Every structure is written in C-alpha cells, then in structure tokens.
Amino acid sequence: MVTFLICIAILIVGYFTYGKYVEKIFGSKSERPTPAYVNADGVDYVPMSTYKNSLIQLLNIAGTGPVFGPIAGALYGPVAFIWIVVGCIFAGAVHDYLTGMISIRNKGAHVPELVSKFLGKFMKHVVNVFALLLLLLVGTVFVTSPAMLINNLLDGKVALAIIVGVIFFYYILATLLPVDKIIGRLYPYFGALLVLSALGVGIGLIVTGAPIPELSFQNMHPNDLPIFPLLFFTITCGALSGFHATQTPIISRTTQNEKQGRKIFYGMMIAEGIIAMIWAAAAMSLFDGYGGLNEMLAAGGPAAVVSEVSLLMMGSIGGTLAILGVVVLPITSGDTAFRAARMIIADYFKFGQSKLLSRLWIAIPLFVISYALTKIDFNILWQYFSWANQVTAVIALWVGAMYLFLAKKNHWIATVPATFMTVMVNVYILYEPTMGFGIPLNASYIGGIVATLAIVAVFFNTAHKKRGTSFLLDEDVSRFNVNEVK
C-alpha cells in the first residue's frame, strides 16, 4: 500500500505548501472585518470559532460524495488516486478557498451574486438555475442515500418512507432556524463521528494489510468506460465539486477573521480528499478485484459497499459506528443544501430573512419539489447531479480566475484547473448518451477543446476590458469597527 500512504502524505504536505502559496497570492488580511460582524443578523451572519466553522464546513461539503463517488471511481483502478490527490490540491481546495474568501470580501455573497459581479449579469441567471438545480438534487440525493444506509442498518425493519420523512423533518428545522441553534451545536459532534469512522476504516486497511493496488495508469474498469471524461464526474467531492461553492458562503458569513480561511476552506477540502482516498482504497482492495466490486455495486449500490467495508474493517460495533459516520455525511450536507438554496433565492429576489414567515415562503416549495424528486431512480439523480455539480465548479473557478486577474495577481492557479475542467464538462455533455448528445468519443474530445478555446478567449477579452476600469473588487468596510461589537 505504498501508493496509498504516499498519496495521503502528499495531501497533507499540499495543505502546508500549496495551500500557503494560494493564501499568499490571495492576500488575506487579519485586520479586515468580516461579514459575520459587518452584516450580523443573528440568523445567517453569526460569528463562530475556527473549530466550529471548520467542522461545519467539512460536514457541509462532504455529503456522500467523498464516499459514494470514490467507491464508484475505484472501478477505474489506482488512476483514481491520482485524480483525488492532484484534483484536491490544485483544483478542489483552490476552488473552495477562493470561493470562500471572495465571498467574505463581498458581504458573504453566494455564487450567483459573485458570478453577476465578476462574469456578468447574464451568467448570474445561468448560474442561478444551475445552483438551485444542483442544491435541489443534492438535497434529494442526500435524503435518499442516508435513508438507504439506515434502512440497510436496520435490516428493513423500519419502512424507507418513514426514514425519509424523519430526515425531511430535520432538514426543515435546520433550514429555518438560526445557523447557531442546530448546525452550530450539533455539527462538532457529527464531525467527530465522521472523522473517527474514516480513521477506523483507514487504520483497519493498514493493520490488516489489505491488498491495496499500487499506482497504475491502466483503466481497470470492467465495463471499459473511458477515464476521460467520466472519472471526473464519478469522483467529484473529494477532488473538485461545485456543490462546495454553494456551501462556502454559509461559512463565509460566520468566519471571524480572514486568516482562518486557509484552515476552514483549503484545509477541510484536504480532509475530504483523505476521506475519499480511504474509501477508494477500501473499495479497490476488499472485493476480489474490480469485477467483485462491480457486482456489489450492481446488487446493492454504494450503500451496500459502505456497510460491507465498515463491518469487515471494524467488526459489528465499530462497523455500525462507521456506517453512522457515513450516514452523518449526507444528512449534514442535505440540510445546508436546502439552507443555501433558501439564501440564494432570498438574495436573488431581495427577500429579508430575519422573520420566520419569510423563510417559510421560500423553504416550503423547495421541500415539496424535493419530495417529488425522491420518486426518481437514485442513479439517474446522481448522473444529473454530477454534471450540474462540475458545471458549477467550472463557473466558480472562472470567478476566482477573474478576481485574481483583476487584482493583478497570479490568476493561473485558478485559470489552469478552470480550463481543464471546462474541457471535461464540454466533452462529457457531447459524449454522454443518456443526458448528452451521444457523439463518438474522439469527436467529443475535438468539440470539447474547440468550445473551451472559445470560452477562454471570451474570458480574457472580458478580463482585459474590466482591468482598465474602476471595478470594485471588494466591498468597502473601512468605516466599520469590529472591536465595537466584540
């Protein structure tokens, strides 16, 4: 398991090296007051500690993505490790950090508002549709996936519909109540359970000497599905995920100091990458090859793999705790998905959210639509989620690139991953036969590259025009004295 251990080490080193470099390029300022104080409202803008913010951020962004995604991605073989490590350090963590920090500099603005400011009003409407579609899909997927895990854990003794109803009830409370009432109080405990479950499986793999395969660039997929572009839509959370762009503004509104940003945004993405590595390694090593894993996935889906791995590595009691840790992941992302959707709609229509009734007018239709979506097959939901997810990630990376370009800083840290993933997004929609155009793969590569070159040209043309104007990158908070409210 040399490859596995080296990859874990690289992720940790990446936080202390490249993460620090990204922070230096952005230029965080400890003296600048954050939205938690400037816009304090007792509901969404509430100062919280680095410890709480970090654990909430990890739980917000994680979902079942760094578990279910890597388990499915493991079918490709050890090449999945490369995407998790490279994608996490150079794309996902950069994406999360820039989104969070730019949001902090702009009153805790959500992605649509940031897109409107940096990429134009037309793109704001586009990303509003994508962001809300993504959040609804995430909320729905993260109702059905934990419900399936709990149903498996209870051997079907409690009806799936009842479990779904209980999860929805919790989501309604977490969406409507002030952020520090449920999320701020419960998430630190949920976070501890999540970390312990991942560590338990990881240590179990090492102690038992599980036969984790070493690095290979060969495509091991039993169905011979192409690595480019499908791997990048199978493993999203844990490497790069646009869902994170919808979640980081929640914490940008509760961050006390800009210097905490690297731990909260970049660091928690690295933690998610480590969780993804552990589950990908477990899936590759415990089912007698990729054919066995494929059969397990076909029979019971990723939830069955999670249950089997947890029980094999940690026994009945420890395995149950590990499964509960994975159950926590989607639930603690589903609730904030609906919360983020409420906030985005409120920002778009300029609805104040201090009154409970104002929150209800937005939240109730969201939950009605989501309940209807639970009737759709999980695999179809996941497929649409994956593409909408990566499109949102691409847009957020271009926002980061534009911000740095206009600030006359090294924008390539965002521009390079944005360009690469734009190619993948275009190739995917051209190639995919179910939800795309079903064009042959080689023709899709050509079409994807051509479309991306056009997008890059538009980006630089727009960026050069904006650079020559008096464009205001950050909101002016010079008149606010944070010491007056501390």
Side-chain angles (χ1 to χ4, degrees):
M1 54 180 68
V2 174
T3 299
F4 171 70
L5 294 174
I6 287 176
C7 286
I8 297 290
I10 291 172
L11 283 168
I12 295 169
V13 170
Y15 167 75
F16 290 103
T17 55
Y18 197 69
K20 200 164 186 177
Y21 175 67
V22 171
E23 180 185 45
K24 183 179 179 181
I25 287 174
F26 182 83
S28 60
K29 300 174 183 177
S30 59
E31 70 279 4
R32 181 184 167 90
T34 62
Y37 298 105
V38 178
N39 305 99
D41 65 357
V43 178
D44 296 319
Y45 294 89
V46 180
M48 293 194 295
S49 67
T50 307
Y51 167 71
K52 277 190 176 181
N53 280 330
S54 296
L55 280 177
I56 293 170
Q57 173 70 2
L58 176 60
L59 289 165
N60 283 359
I61 65 177
T64 45
V67 181
F68 283 19
I71 285 172
L75 290 170
Y76 290 92
V79 70
F81 292 154
I82 300 173
W83 170 232
I84 292 172
V85 173
V86 175
C88 189
I89 294 172
F90 297 104
V94 173
H95 167 281
D96 289 13
Y97 180 79
L98 290 179
T99 304
M101 296 304 292
I102 295 170
S103 176
I104 285 176
R105 292 281 178 89
N106 288 273
K107 296 182 179 179
H110 273 277
V111 176
E113 293 299 316
L114 295 178
V115 169
S116 176
K117 179 173 181 176
F118 292 99
L119 300 182
K121 290 184 178 179
F122 171 75
M123 284 302 296
K124 173 185 177 178
H125 301 305
V126 172
V127 83
N128 253 312
V129 172
F130 269 104
L132 287 174
L133 172 65
L134 175 60
L135 288 167
L136 270 172
L137 288 172
V138 166
T140 306
V141 166
F142 292 167
V143 168
T144 54
S145 56
M148 287 189 295
L149 282 166
I150 295 170
N151 189 252
N152 285 345
L153 192 62
L154 298 175
D155 292 326
K157 292 176 182 177
V158 178
L160 192 63
I162 294 174
I163 300 171
V164 167
V166 171
I167 293 172
F168 262 125
F169 179 71
Y170 166 73
Y171 283 0
I172 291 168
L173 291 178
T175 301
L176 297 175
L177 292 177
V179 69
D180 59 338
K181 298 304 179 187
I182 289 184
I183 292 173
R185 291 182 181 180
L186 295 181
Y187 273 33
Y189 301 105
F190 288 164
L193 184 60
L194 158 64
V195 172
L196 286 173
S197 66
L199 284 176
V201 173
I203 292 169
L205 290 172
I206 295 169
V207 170
T208 59
I212 302 172
E214 302 299 350
L215 183 61
S216 167
F217 294 97
Q218 185 180 350
N219 185 354
M220 307 289 189
H221 203 292
N223 300 325
D224 200 31
L225 297 177
I227 291 173
F228 294 90
L230 297 187
L231 177 63
F232 308 98
F233 295 84
T234 305
I235 302 176
T236 54
C237 298
L240 171 67
S241 171
F243 173 61
H244 298 188
T246 68
Q247 298 301 290
T248 49
I250 295 176
I251 302 304
S252 75
R253 298 181 181 196
T254 60
T255 301
Q256 296 170 316
N257 190 298
E258 284 192 5
K259 288 294 183 182
Q260 299 167 353
R262 180 162 67 97
K263 290 180 183 176
I264 296 169
F265 302 123
Y266 197 99
M268 292 305 100
M269 181 63 215
I270 294 295
E272 189 180 20
I274 293 171
I275 293 169
M277 279 292 305
I278 289 170
W279 284 101
M284 286 181 205
S285 61
L286 298 178
F287 298 100
D288 298 321
Y290 304 102
L293 174 60
N294 199 30
E295 289 175 12
M296 174 72 77
L297 284 169
V305 175
V306 168
S307 299
E308 187 70 18
V309 168
S310 299
L311 294 171
L312 278 172
M313 290 293 97
M314 301 175 67
S316 58
I317 297 175
T320 300
L321 288 174
I323 294 167
L324 288 174
V326 176
V327 168
V328 162
L329 279 169
I331 289 177
T332 52
S333 290
D335 56 8
T336 49
F338 287 114
R339 188 178 188 90
R342 170 181 66 76
M343 293 159 76
I344 286 174
I345 293 170
D347 289 349
Y348 187 76
F349 291 106
K350 311 296 183 188
F351 288 159
Q353 294 293 281
S354 58
K355 294 180 179 179
L356 179 61
L357 186 61
S358 300
R359 284 171 255 158
L360 277 171
W361 278 117
I362 299 174
I364 289 173
L366 288 174
F367 284 110
V368 170
I369 295 169
S370 180
Y371 179 75
L373 288 174
T374 61
K375 306 302 179 184
I376 299 174
D377 180 72
F378 176 82
N379 292 322
I380 296 173
L381 280 175
W382 188 267
Q383 192 174 30
Y384 279 93
F385 156 73
S386 295
W387 188 70
N389 189 29
Q390 297 306 63
V391 170
T392 307
V394 164
I395 294 170
L397 280 168
W398 283 120
V399 168
M402 181 66 78
Y403 182 95
L404 294 176
F405 185 94
L406 297 177
K408 298 183 179 179
K409 296 179 179 179
N410 179 13
H411 64 89
W412 294 109
I413 63 169
T415 304
V416 170
T419 303
F420 174 76
M421 282 307 300
T422 302
V423 173
M424 292 299 104
V425 163
N426 288 329
V427 172
Y428 182 86
I429 201 65
L430 291 173
Y431 168 74
E432 225 291 319
T434 306
M435 59 176 290
F437 294 97
I439 296 172
L441 188 58
N442 288 335
S444 296
Y445 286 145
I446 296 169
I449 291 170
V450 170
T452 301
L453 289 173
I455 291 168
V456 171
V458 170
F459 169 81
F460 278 108
N461 182 54
T462 305
H464 280 291
K465 286 181 180 178
K466 279 183 180 288
R467 191 184 259 184
T469 66
S470 56
F471 185 82
L472 187 66
L473 280 175
D474 307 321
E475 291 291 329
D476 183 10
V477 293
S478 59
R479 297 180 182 179
F480 184 85
N481 184 1
V482 70
N483 293 317
E484 292 179 358
V485 295
K486 282 188 176 180

